[in-house]
Amino acid sequence: MFRMVVTKMARNLNVNLCIFLIISCVDSCFIPDSIQAAVPQTVPVGHVISKVDVDNCDTKTLHLTSCDPDFTVQADGTIVTVHITMVPANGRTFSVQFQDPNGQKKNMDVYLVQNSRKVLKDGLLKRSKRRWSPLPFNIIENDAPPFPKEVDLVASDSSAAYNVYYTLSGPGVTEDPVGVFSVVKETGMLKVHRAVDREVTPQFIFQARVFDRYTNQETDLPLPITVNVEDVNDNAPTFTGQLQFTVLEQSKTGTVVGKVNAIDKDEPGTDHTKIRYSLLSGTNLFYINPETGVISTKTDTLDREVNDKHFVTVDIRDMNGALNGLSNTATATIVVGDINDNPPTFKKTSYNVSVMENQEKGLILRIPIEDKDLINTPNWNSEFIITKGNENGNFRMERDPKTNEGLIYLTKPLDYEKTKNLKLDVMARNQAELSGTNAKWVSIPVDVTVGDVDEGPEFTAPIVRFTVQENTPNDTLIGTYTAVDPETKSSAGIKYYKVSDPASWINVDESTGQLKIANTIDRESHFVVDGVYNVTMKAVDASRKTGTGTVIIQVEDMNDHVPDILSKDLVLCEKDGGEMGSVLVVAEDKDQAPFSAPFSFKLGEKHDDNWAVKPLNSTAVMLAQTKELPTGLYTVPLMVVDLQGFGSTQTVTVRICRCRNGACLAQQNSTSLGVWGILAMLLGLALLLLLCILCAFVCVTKNEKMELEDMGDSGGILLTSNIEALGDAVDSNLIIVPKSGIDRSVKGSVIDMGWAGAKDLGKMGGDLGTQQQSGSSVIVTDMQNGFSDRYNGSQYGGQNGGGQYGVDQYGGGQYASGNMTFDNTRFMKINWQTNGLFLQQKLAYLGTEEEGRYADDIIHAYGFEGVGSSAGSVGCCSDQVNQEDLDFLNTLGPKFKVLAEVCTNK
């Protein structure tokens, strides 16, 4: 069993049970300072804790009063439990207070420790080791030397059976802060070696152990030791936060100004940290709550205009303000806020100002003011109002933001003849309303004198309005516009002129001011806006002073325009399945109601019953087909009249066509020429291409001699010639152009000659060299390479491509500069057949393409070509009909006829 000797240092622990015992005893009565009792962990009701020896005391004067529900003290000093009580492992402590014979109150401490026991197997009870459960030790911070000092004694019950020694370990002993505590090994006395600061280390917890001196074996379990550092008042309170506050002037008594905040580092909850606040100055105006530090006003007479800032000294003292408490002082600044308790005042009692009549707008007077309130705030910023004399709006007032002065501006010129003097009342006020005062806004009079000026004439009215119907005859009087002298009120000597008349529609009589029509007035003119035409006039008196006025002419409308169709060229896209189409027709009338819309539409007298009119709105109709119509151009007469029945018949053109994206597809050139026309043109192009190839071949071979098979006729061979002169004339019998139609029986035609013609190619060549058709040309096309060139019919030879090939001797026999001979007729026939096959393949290829892909190259089949077409109706297979019919060659002209004769043998 361990026991702990507890000193008076443990008397400051929390008391769980307080039993107040008032004892009146005699001088021989003795009550011990403390007692210790061993109890079970759970103490039952009625258990006797201990008995206080009161045998020598006067028990008749003993009075017991229990304030704890768990324990009671009987009259004989016996302490008994009245409720089941738990005793913790570290024990339980309570105090009994009594009064000694001298009348002083004292405490007796009662310490309860657990009496633990363990049951053995044989049923006997054996006492077990108790764990160390000491009360915390206390030391005083910043204790004065000398050191070391004894704290308390730790003794173990095992010291009765063993020769023991004690050790300590942990913070304050072997850990930081090292060396604060130690223990006397032989006796167990705890010592402290230096002063401790509670604000740094308020508590130490370390471990005590007990060992046998001979075996070094522990004779008891380790015991935690707690040492509390008792606080001393070694820290003065300090201020926290700012000490600057604001309160409005004239605030009521008790208005909160602000709160002073302070802290103390000593132990909370003690008098060492209980701060009391007080004011050392400014107590006539302010008060501070001694416990909370809240500063309030003590009067309602604070005046910012007298003193706008107060400085008060605040004292803070701990120990609840006791004289031995530590203290600090600081100065708090209290700013007095402004309220608008001072209205602006004028420096003078009245003001006078002179203004000339007709004077331009501008500043005419400055009015200074004074205001005691805080500058550049709504309480100081002024506002000025003219309360009387400005009914016509001739003046306005503003504030100068820099000087706070009132500024009077003239906004409209004054007229001396109407008003020679004006008396104004000007009131000054602030942006903020007045408060805390009985004063009112003040006003002063301002006398405005108007000076006289010689003025120009004035029209009887600044603006005059006349109503005139358009197309009114010239020289018609529409009114009179005159002016008077403002001083004499007379019109004598005043002349009138136009300043502005954009369309020159009006004449002004210089002497009388009469207005007459000079030119026809047209309401639909761009000079008229919303039916109004303006003329500006000028009046000039004898002194050359002028005045201006405006004449507004309201132009009345006449029905002088008929409805007109806006777009007369319309497009109607052809629809599939025989569906009837329609187009929109819109009309416009420059007149206004009731001389314009709604319009009436109907077909003209000479319409063809192919169209019908369907109303859409007041200005438009739909022109719709009544029957299926082929593509083409159609004219439709339409009669359009306005609401009054005035109108005319107009013709619109409707184009029916195949469309793409709302637009007609491009027309094909091939349909206008016909298939045989295209073939004829391609034939000529192929022949010219052949000639170009031959010329290129001759240039390449240069002087090499080539023998060509002569088929018995050398008339088609070209001869080498340096002659650049004209060729031989062509026999007139070779050029026969039928006057009408084509007849195979006509002698001299190409068909009649059976493509034989004249074999005298020299004559043909001579004819080619002439310029019988000025400006004519032949297109030579390379069908494989897409190359084309144009040769002028009058200069087929010459220097083309660098060579010299005279066509004046086309039938001579030598084709180029070299010696070449060949059967011209056979060569041309072979090329004719080759090109014919190529053209047939080309036509077949193009016929397989989509309609829109090669719109310029494809031959389309149409069932109807329209009225008047020279080609007539073209069927889907017309390009294969009459392939042997060559009558069209008779209409190709003399040059194509010569080519045909060249390319044809007998």
Side-chain angles (χ1 to χ4, degrees), residues 355-628:
V355 179
M356 301 303 295
E357 68 171 331
N358 300 324
Q359 182 175 322
E360 295 294 332
K361 303 176 183 178
L363 178 66
I364 61 174
L365 181 63
R366 283 180 172 267
I367 302 178
I369 62 167
E370 292 180 343
D371 197 316
K372 296 179 180 180
D373 290 316
L374 185 61
I375 189 171
N376 293 327
T377 65
N379 300 332
W380 180 82
N381 295 338
S382 61
E383 291 181 350
F384 297 89
I385 303 172
I386 302 176
T387 58
K388 188 175 71 174
N390 193 32
E391 289 74 13
N392 294 329
N394 296 97
F395 307 96
R396 66 178 172 87
M397 288 206 69
E398 291 183 1
R399 163 186 173 265
D400 189 327
K402 295 181 179 179
T403 64
N404 210 28
E405 294 176 318
L407 309 177
I408 300 181
Y409 287 88
L410 181 67
T411 57
K412 291 196 302 185
L414 296 172
D415 190 348
Y416 173 82
E417 286 71 32
K418 295 180 180 179
T419 305
K420 296 179 176 59
N421 182 267
L422 288 170
K423 295 186 179 297
L424 307 178
D425 278 352
V426 176
M427 182 181 71
R429 55 165 297 155
N430 296 123
Q431 293 176 352
E433 295 294 334
L434 290 173
S435 64
T437 180
N438 294 324
K440 303 295 182 183
W441 307 121
V442 295
S443 300
I444 59 167
V446 177
D447 193 357
V448 181
T449 302
V450 182
D452 187 23
V453 175
D454 185 13
E455 301 171 289
E458 295 180 352
F459 281 96
T460 53
I463 299 174
V464 66
R465 182 183 295 268
F466 299 107
T467 300
V468 180
Q469 192 176 53
E470 66 174 332
N471 301 322
T472 298
N474 294 347
D475 207 34
T476 300
L477 177 65
I478 63 173
T480 302
Y481 193 30
T482 58
V484 297
D485 190 303
E487 282 79 20
T488 62
K489 305 299 180 183
S490 171
S491 299
I494 296 178
K495 304 294 183 180
Y496 305 94
Y497 305 95
K498 289 191 303 180
V499 176
S500 172
D501 182 11
S504 301
W505 285 345
I506 304 299
N507 279 335
V508 179
D509 188 283
E510 183 178 303
S511 301
T512 63
Q514 290 183 342
L515 306 177
K516 295 183 179 180
I517 295 177
N519 294 294
T520 302
I521 297 177
D522 184 7
R523 196 197 66 84
E524 288 72 37
S525 170
H526 67 277
F527 294 108
V528 179
V529 179
D530 295 330
V532 172
Y533 179 74
N534 293 332
V535 177
T536 304
M537 290 185 59
K538 177 174 66 174
V540 183
D541 61 12
S543 63
R544 307 305 297 171
K545 290 184 173 57
T546 62
T548 58
T550 301
V551 177
I552 297 178
I553 298 177
Q554 186 73 44
V555 183
E556 291 185 343
D557 189 27
M558 291 183 62
N559 197 6
D560 56 344
H561 293 86
V562 297
D564 182 53
I565 296 176
L566 295 179
S567 177
K568 295 183 174 64
D569 293 325
L570 308 173
V571 174
L572 176 59
C573 294
E574 189 178 37
K575 298 184 177 181
D576 297 330
E579 185 180 352
M580 303 300 175
S582 61
V583 291
L584 177 67
V585 180
V586 181
E588 179 187 52
D589 195 327
K590 294 182 180 180
D591 294 322
Q592 61 180 175
F595 304 121
S596 58
F599 303 140
S600 296
F601 295 82
K602 65 179 181 178
L603 293 172
E605 296 180 356
K606 297 182 180 181
H607 68 87
D608 51 8
D609 295 330
N610 291 334
W611 306 89
V613 174
K614 296 180 180 180
L616 182 62
N617 54 39
S618 61
T619 60
V621 295
M622 298 301 294
L623 186 61
Q625 292 177 246
T626 58
K627 61 180 69 174
E628 186 175 358

Side-chain angles (χ1 to χ4, degrees), residues 196 468 501 534 768 782 882:
V196 178
V468 180
D501 182 11
N534 293 332
L768 283 171
D782 186 343
N882 297 328

